[in-house]
Amino acid sequence: MSDTWRDESISPAERAKALLDAMTLDEKLAQLGCVWSTALVDDDAFCADKARSLLSQGVGEITRIGGGSGLRPAEVASFTNEIQRFLRDETRLGIPALVHEESCAGFLARDATQFPQAIGMASTWDPALVERVGQVIREQMVAVGARHTLAPVLDVARDPRWGRVEETLGEDPYLIARLGVAYVRGVQGEDLREGVAATGKHFLGYGFSEGGLNHAPAHIGARELREVFAAPFAAAIAEAGLATVMNAYNEVDGLPCAGSRAILDDLLRGELGFEGLVVADYFSVALLERFHRVAGSLAEAARRALEAGLDMELPQADGYGAPLREGLRNGDVDEAWVDRSTLRVLRLKFDLGLFETVLVDAERAPEVFDTPQQRALARAAGRRSIVLLRNDGDLLPLSPDTARLAVIGPAAHDVRLLQGDYHYPAHLEMMYAAGGSTQGIAPHPDDGGFRAGPYYPETVTPLDGIRAAVSDGCEVRHAAGCEISGDERRGLDEARDLAGWADVAIVCVGGRSGLSADCTTGEFRDASDLGLTGLQQELVEVIVATGTPTVVVLVSGRVHAIPWIAEHVPAVLEAWVPGEEGGAAIADLLFGVEAPSGRLPVSLPRSVGQVPAYYNHKSGGGRSMMLGDYIDGSPKPLFPFGHGLSYTEFAYTDLEIEPASVPADGEVRIALQVGNTGDRAAEEVVQLYLRDPVASLTRPVKQLAGFARVALEPGATRRVTFTLDPGQLAFYDEAMELAVEPGEVEVHVGASSEDLRLEGAFAITSGRRLSLGEARATRAELG
């Protein structure tokens, strides 16, 4: 047997091909599947006998060690090492395994730093911050030997009924692309041999499903599928070298994504130029048979997925196990498809340097977990993720010397409610809930071993944060008032009395994110009503009726419709699901330690009847002809995309656009002055929107094309210059070719998609054809 593949002087591609040539069919098939980490456990320890049964031919990946257990970092690293040693020493070729984990909002593992959920990170409009968060995730995952993460979510979310909106970066493809690229760069690093392979998910159209229902069909045309939903993936591939992609559960125009060559091969690889590994969302191969019903057997489902270009089955080898082997035996499956996918798996393992540095230093792993610096970053991310929706009468910021504060609501002092569905340990609830686990983990109250907890990170609740922020002379009292769901009313009277006693009432309401039946948002938890659940709306009404000045803090991954609150409550903060330092971040903004600077990455609807309601709808949308409104209300959102208030005011002046005319392959410079006209230091998020007023096909009424965070002291002014590639305006023409058309372009700059302060125009003098993802991202420079 040739061992050319061991030669480090040749390229990873050459090494992968040489190793493939040395493999048996069974060894190749083993690389296309996964094994649950818990399947290798006996009596809370690695079991060599189980490994011999399951890993004798090797394995492609191990599914979630940190994210599927109660192990601490050193224990995760030690368990990973035991698996890798077994593969190295007791299999013929010694091929190491990838270990995959989740990291939508921080490494989903015990003791790892839990940052704001993705929708909150999107509200920062801060790619540099997102990249720093990605670096922390990389550092912690590498320390325990986990080199593949199933994040980021690049779905464009246009239906807030869908429970997974909280995992996304919002409704706008440009914003998602910029933040997604930053995340991938942070996680993968400059050299993948020292990084973690990121996974763009879910390909494609998952965030715009029928009725907002999880896994439901997505009714999306070919142009919109590419221009909107594929655009963030194209950017992550072209700009950040995205290593892996995960299929979506849904179908598009009759094509289930997991088994569609048109989606996974023609579009992803052919049009977007992706060369990496495609991994299955959990159980999606089997779903081709039992859910989409496009395969008559699991063997047929496996063949269809493999031929479509789905390289590896997660979280375990169901279709890609015995059914695929049988298909090869009877001639239904061509071994060339196995070779193609195995080669991609091996190439990633060589790119990651796993063959040379597969073992980690378990004793040192805890050193990089939840350090003071990482917690400080989580707090900073929390502050920037919070959006001040309303501040009537400048109620905020509050004085820390306020004599009496009432902190009320079910989300005021519950660490669980600060966890999103892909935070640790909320994601594990199905594993430790009554009835045990589908992966063999039984409920266990003790600290240690594979038992799944729950083990919450050290978490600051809003009540904790407020008590730490106020002066010694401020008395803070607390009452829950009601639960997140249910109709238990006994706490309402206590809450009313407490609000009547207080100088200010801070009411924390929201949702419970997760995957289990008692959750109100998250994966599997879609909604037909976007109002607050249970008695929370009534609780707010009771507090407001006392006449006490009231602040509402929304702590939820759900995009809620809150028209009554927006009309009757003086101050409203959208805090999303802020993670372990969320309560401290909320308090920092309530008491003016820092001015709010978060901006909405989605449009907040007035009611579920408006859905879908997103800012960049096509010309002709967004209103009812001829009179404009619904018969029972406005079609405009309650709060628009990009909205967010501060504790100061900003002035926009002196717009300059040059040149006035530019070829399609040129650049346009758009400059302006932004000034802080108030008496508090703050950051403004300057937003650039473009509009194509006349085009050969219908175009969006406006589209985000750039943004910049600008820190300004009181009275200070700074110059912001955007350098724009006209390729940002490309769309698929009647021949389905991506092109920029000549013509006038309107320019709008402002503080939100509706609060536009400056306007101008330039002309594109020539046409241009390009590929998706080829246009350069807009550069922003501060003078």
Side-chain angles (χ1 to χ4, degrees), residues 287-537:
L287 290 176
L288 294 174
E289 176 195 12
R290 69 173 189 257
F291 181 72
H292 294 292
R293 300 173 68 181
V294 296
S297 66
L298 190 53
E300 186 181 350
R303 176 192 59 76
R304 179 166 180 156
L306 185 67
E307 291 184 4
L310 199 156
D311 299 310
M312 180 182 287
E313 184 178 17
L314 310 185
Q316 59 197 27
D318 294 325
Y320 282 14
L324 183 58
R325 185 176 288 105
E326 178 61 25
L328 287 157
R329 185 178 297 115
N330 63 28
D332 289 340
V333 178
D334 189 335
E335 189 174 343
W337 300 120
V338 175
D339 288 352
R340 181 183 68 172
S341 290
T342 303
L343 189 64
R344 291 169 181 162
V345 174
L346 297 175
R347 169 65 187 271
L348 179 58
K349 291 182 177 184
F350 280 114
D351 284 341
L352 288 164
L354 285 178
F355 289 83
E356 287 69 53
T357 57
V358 70
L359 301 182
V360 297
D361 188 338
E363 291 185 0
R364 298 194 63 181
E367 296 176 6
V368 299
F369 275 75
D370 217 20
T371 65
Q373 294 81 8
Q374 291 166 350
R375 291 196 71 93
L377 181 62
R379 185 168 180 167
R383 285 195 298 261
R384 291 192 173 194
S385 73
I386 297 169
V387 183
L388 179 60
L389 298 177
R390 175 177 164 88
N391 192 22
D392 191 34
D394 293 331
L395 175 60
L396 295 178
L398 302 174
S399 169
D401 298 322
T402 303
R404 297 183 300 275
L405 281 176
V407 183
I408 299 169
H413 195 49
D414 185 338
V415 297
R416 172 62 183 82
L417 301 183
L418 299 179
Q419 316 297 324
D421 69 342
Y422 273 73
H423 277 119
Y424 185 91
H427 195 71
L428 276 71
E429 281 175 337
M430 292 194 303
M431 302 173 72
Y432 60 69
S437 162
T438 57
Q439 286 87 46
I441 301 178
H444 201 279
D446 297 336
D447 179 30
F450 262 81
R451 313 300 193 214
Y455 305 117
Y456 293 102
E458 183 180 341
T459 301
V460 182
T461 68
L463 180 63
D464 293 332
I466 290 166
R467 283 179 167 158
V470 298
S471 66
D472 292 341
C474 177
E475 183 177 359
V476 178
R477 297 182 183 178
H478 166 250
C482 67
E483 299 298 327
I484 286 293
S485 55
D487 56 4
E488 177 53 63
R489 308 179 59 84
R490 285 180 294 180
L492 293 177
D493 289 341
E494 179 188 8
R496 179 189 295 108
D497 293 343
L498 186 58
W501 161 85
D503 296 316
V504 177
I506 301 169
V507 187
C508 300
V509 293
R512 179 185 176 102
S513 296
L515 287 73
S516 55
D518 62 340
C519 294
T520 64
T521 185
E523 189 172 4
F524 310 144
R525 309 305 298 143
D526 311 317
S528 62
D529 185 340
L530 299 180
L532 293 169
T533 53
L535 299 177
Q536 293 183 96
Q537 172 78 27

Side-chain angles (χ1 to χ4, degrees), residues 151-155 169 173-189 192 197-203 228-246 268 272-276 772-775 777:
V153 174
L154 299 177
D155 293 307
L169 298 169
Y174 184 83
L175 179 64
I176 296 167
R178 304 287 29 99
L179 300 178
V181 165
Y183 181 97
V184 173
R185 286 174 173 163
V187 167
Q188 294 191 170
L192 202 55
T199 305
K201 63 184 193 184
H202 307 83
F203 202 80
V228 175
F229 295 91
F233 292 88
I237 292 164
E239 298 179 43
L242 179 67
T244 76
V245 167
M246 175 180 281
L268 177 60
L272 272 59
F274 180 66
E275 296 180 349
L772 194 59
E774 182 182 338

